[in-house]
Amino acid sequence: MTGQLIQINISKGGVPKMPVNGVFVNYERVVGDDWRNKHVHGGPERVILMISKENIDRLKSEGLAIYPGALGENFTTLGFDYRTLRYGDIFQAGKDLVFRITKRRAPCKTITVFGEDIANAVFDSQCGQHDPTSPKWGTAGFYASILNEGYVSTWDTISKVDKINFTIRRVEKSDIEALSQISRETFYETFAKDNTPEDMLMYLEEAMTENVLEKELIESEFWFLCFRDHPVGYMKLEINSNMDGESALEVSRLYVLKKFVGTGGGTELMSFALQRSREVSAAWLWLAVWELNTKAIAFYTKWGFEKFGQKKFKLGTDLQTDVTMKRKV
């Protein structure tokens, strides 16, 4: 699936956004663009708003006085049927920019300057329920997060990315700052909603500072999951483990940045863990996962892991229970 970026639009807030020849898009924003209501617009999951030229033309034919940029989109695209787009779809624009659709846009009051009925023209109750069978699905546009920063220009090609190509590399001592950063970020993304801020901070300071990780790096193996040479996940392996008198390898930690969840990164890391198990002649691969982390338990179960016990894990002041899981290598 290939289309074109026929117009790039920015503003200091509000609509319309005005065309520019090119922009740099980082992980937080389209550079030069801004929003008036930052509670509703912007943020890492809404860096880009994209709308199709086809939908704009259709709305114009229905009597709405709109044009590219009028509805506040950053990217006006040509060549995509937005009714076929889904959350999680990944695209590359130009040479470097890679972005991922995160959610449909719900129209706000700002765009009523182009007509009181415009919200009804681009959005319905099915869209409100995130139902892609709606005849208006995608008409209001889609938001996207950034997987890789890059500069884009008008008429750049936009291509749908079917599979992300990850690489895995060993973490070295010189990587300690990056390891601490991604360790803290992924742990916070995964567990902050289910634990108190005090317990989270206490654990991060106990377990994921540069000093602590540098010491762990001596006896444990850490591996980065990378996309375009940037760490987007990591794994900690304990090689000299034991399971019922047989050699074993423990996956002590396996985390991927939230915006890369569902892109195959976890699968890449788990495949590598199995490969590493065979390289060190381990008979078993095992791990421990929080009993309330049902998504992770389901993921490991699909990989053939079975529950065999429990162990305690202290997060700050909270004594929690982890489920232990194992599989034959």
Side-chain angles (χ1 to χ4, degrees), residues 4-279:
Q4 289 182 303
L5 178 55
I6 64 165
Q7 190 164 301
I8 302 166
N9 312 293
I10 63 174
S11 74
K12 295 302 180 182
V15 296
K17 292 187 183 294
M18 304 306 293
V20 293
N21 292 327
V23 291
F24 187 82
V25 184
N26 62 34
Y27 296 114
E28 299 297 329
R29 64 172 57 240
V30 176
V31 175
D33 192 43
D34 207 349
W35 318 274
R36 288 176 183 166
N37 188 346
K38 293 179 172 60
H39 295 292
V40 176
H41 303 290
E45 293 192 350
R46 295 176 298 204
V47 176
I48 293 171
L49 174 61
M50 54 188 282
I51 293 178
S52 75
K53 179 65 161 52
E54 291 88 343
N55 280 331
I56 291 172
D57 289 343
R58 179 174 60 79
L59 292 169
K60 286 175 65 177
S61 71
E62 295 172 2
L64 293 170
I66 62 169
Y67 46 87
L71 298 183
E73 79 272 17
N74 302 110
F75 289 179
T76 311
T77 68
L78 182 68
F80 294 117
D81 182 353
Y82 276 37
R83 293 171 299 180
T84 68
L85 302 188
R86 299 293 183 266
Y87 301 158
D89 284 350
I90 299 170
F91 295 88
Q92 177 169 335
K95 179 182 177 182
D96 296 313
L97 182 65
V98 182
F99 59 91
R100 188 184 190 192
I101 292 177
T102 55
K103 61 185 69 175
R104 87 292 184 261
R105 184 260 197 103
C108 61
K109 293 181 180 180
T110 304
I111 64 172
T112 59
V113 296
F114 297 102
E116 291 295 329
D117 293 331
I118 194 166
N120 292 328
V122 301
F123 201 77
D124 60 16
S125 60
Q126 284 179 272
C127 292
Q129 296 299 316
H130 306 274
D131 181 357
T133 66
S134 164
K136 297 179 181 179
W137 181 253
T139 304
F142 288 106
Y143 289 113
S145 62
I146 306 305
L147 302 186
N148 194 73
E149 301 175 321
Y151 188 89
V152 289
S153 302
T154 303
W155 295 108
D156 272 349
T157 297
I158 302 179
S159 302
K160 192 169 184 286
V161 178
D162 294 321
K163 184 179 184 299
I164 284 188
N165 295 316
F166 293 105
T167 57
I168 296 175
R169 72 170 178 86
R170 185 80 176 262
V171 177
E172 306 293 343
K173 186 176 179 179
S174 59
D175 296 313
I176 286 298
E177 183 179 353
L179 177 61
S180 177
Q181 180 178 342
I182 198 165
S183 297
R184 296 166 75 95
E185 185 173 355
T186 54
F187 194 86
Y188 189 87
E189 286 180 338
T190 305
F191 299 114
K193 67 181 184 301
D194 298 311
N195 294 276
T196 67
E198 294 78 13
D199 281 338
M200 288 294 297
L201 180 60
M202 185 180 298
Y203 180 77
L204 292 176
E205 292 304 307
E206 289 173 350
M208 295 182 174
T209 64
E210 292 181 27
N211 288 337
V212 170
L213 292 170
E214 189 168 352
K215 293 175 183 177
E216 291 184 355
L217 196 60
I218 297 173
E219 297 184 356
S220 305
E221 290 186 3
F222 286 85
W223 297 85
F224 277 145
L225 175 76
C226 296
F227 176 57
R228 305 264 179 119
D229 297 325
H230 298 294
V232 298
Y234 81 103
M235 180 168 57
K236 178 185 178 185
L237 302 178
E238 309 291 353
I239 302 297
N240 299 317
S241 187
N242 186 279
M243 180 75 63
D244 300 327
E246 296 184 277
S247 62
L249 184 148
E250 178 189 0
V251 180
S252 180
R253 294 176 194 157
L254 191 159
Y255 292 99
V256 176
L257 287 172
K258 180 181 177 181
K259 64 185 177 181
F260 280 91
V261 171
T263 64
T267 296
E268 291 281 344
L269 287 172
M270 186 53 67
S271 295
F272 183 82
L274 279 169
Q275 174 188 321
R276 194 74 185 102
S277 299
R278 298 183 182 105
E279 290 173 351

